[in-house]
Amino acid sequence: MLAITRYEGDTSAPTLLIAHGLFGSARNWNVIAKRLSGPRPVISVDMRNHGESPWFDSHSYADLAGDLAEVIEAEGAPVDLLGHSMGGKSAMVLALARPELIRRLVVADIAPVAYSHTQGHLVEAMRGLDLTGLTSRSEADKRLAASINTASVRAFLLQSLDLKASPPRWRLNLNVLDREMDKIVGWPAPEGEFTGPAMFIAGAESDYIQPDARPLIKAQFPKARQIKIPGAGHWLHAEKPREFEAAVEAFLSA
């Protein structure tokens, strides 16, 4: 079973389940999960091969959707499901395969398509980080800067570095994530349709949801609303948290 972080709320409302993206964890969603809780219980998971969740040899979207289904069945279906990037694809695959588990679906900055980019260079940078004698995040950041220029990307990745372990270690199954990268950036093209309410939120500065993806979204998620958050890129929940949270709250409570 996936590792779960819980936030209390009104149990007469459906639980909101949050699934993070590649290299993320439930911790990345802590502030938003807390703020969305209250009117409803919220649970945030570490996806397989991430955070405190178990490591496996495979990382397909069928696997990821199956993990989420196991959590939902244990919690009591249906839930509202919010997924970002890799978590968004996992959420879509589950919604198409097991629509009865989901009341409302929120997909953040990802489309039901295969992408040509890879995040393999980030895996290499993390693998290449010299962990010898590391005791501070600032020192880790300094070392990681040799291979990753962008400070915000380094800060995001370093949230998954466990400095309390001896020796320090990544809370990411880097070998499997690297080997399965084609599946992660790809799309298994599942059949089916989710006819419940759905909202696809894009960052206006992100290029992850292209115009040609919109008819594909509508074909399998016929009730999907599609909105953009101005000034936000791919990590829209981190870059424009209040706007993101307001859009999700309005949709869930509609």
Side-chain angles (χ1 to χ4, degrees):
M1 179 77 96
L2 300 180
I4 291 173
T5 307
R6 295 183 183 278
Y7 308 83
E8 298 304 318
D10 181 353
T11 53
S12 68
T15 296
L16 171 63
L17 170 58
I18 299 177
H20 64 77
L22 181 62
F23 307 137
S25 68
R27 292 174 63 190
N28 305 146
W29 286 83
N30 189 27
V31 173
I32 283 183
K34 269 186 189 159
R35 290 178 62 100
L36 287 171
S37 67
R40 65 192 64 79
V42 177
I43 58 175
S44 190
V45 295
D46 288 341
M47 303 293 271
R48 66 168 52 205
N49 298 314
H50 290 72
E52 303 301 325
S53 279
W55 286 14
F56 296 94
D57 284 336
S58 62
H59 201 86
S60 72
Y61 282 113
D63 295 328
L64 295 164
D67 294 341
L68 294 176
E70 187 181 7
V71 171
I72 294 168
E73 284 166 336
E75 293 296 318
V79 301
D80 293 333
L81 180 57
L82 187 169
H84 171 245
S85 201
M86 176 192 81
K89 282 189 170 179
S90 309
M92 286 189 277
V93 169
L94 178 59
L96 294 171
R98 302 281 308 279
E100 75 280 1
L101 297 181
I102 299 164
R103 185 189 74 126
R104 286 175 175 257
L105 175 70
V106 180
V107 177
D109 210 60
I110 203 76
V113 299
Y115 292 85
S116 57
H117 68 268
T118 175
Q119 304 294 349
H121 63 293
L122 297 179
V123 173
E124 284 311 307
M126 286 185 276
R127 269 189 188 144
L129 180 66
D130 180 9
L131 300 174
T132 313
L134 259 188
T135 55
S136 73
R137 219 158 285 281
S138 57
E139 175 58 29
D141 182 66
K142 205 180 295 178
R143 295 185 191 181
L144 199 56
S147 50
I148 298 174
N149 295 328
T150 312
S152 59
V153 173
R154 294 197 304 274
F156 168 67
L157 296 176
L158 288 171
Q159 288 184 47
S160 290
L161 182 63
D162 184 359
L163 287 171
K164 291 188 177 138
S166 182
R169 67 174 191 97
W170 290 103
R171 292 192 194 90
L172 297 165
N173 189 348
L174 293 172
N175 291 340
V176 166
L177 294 176
D178 189 35
R179 194 175 69 232
E180 300 277 85
M181 190 61 70
D182 285 351
K183 290 179 188 169
I184 296 167
V185 299
W187 176 243
E191 294 182 350
E193 190 178 65
F194 177 72
T195 57
M199 179 169 68
F200 284 67
I201 312 179
E205 308 298 315
S206 169
D207 59 1
Y208 273 71
I209 302 183
Q210 294 289 334
D212 57 4
R214 297 186 187 284
L216 300 174
I217 292 169
K218 273 295 187 189
Q220 290 190 289
F221 304 91
K223 289 189 184 157
R225 293 174 50 204
Q226 299 180 49
I227 68 167
K228 284 186 179 180
I229 295 183
H234 182 57
W235 281 283
L236 63 181
H237 58 290
E239 293 163 16
K240 295 288 181 182
R242 297 294 82 84
E243 293 87 339
F244 180 85
E245 175 200 316
V248 172
E249 180 59 60
F251 175 68
L252 295 183
S253 56

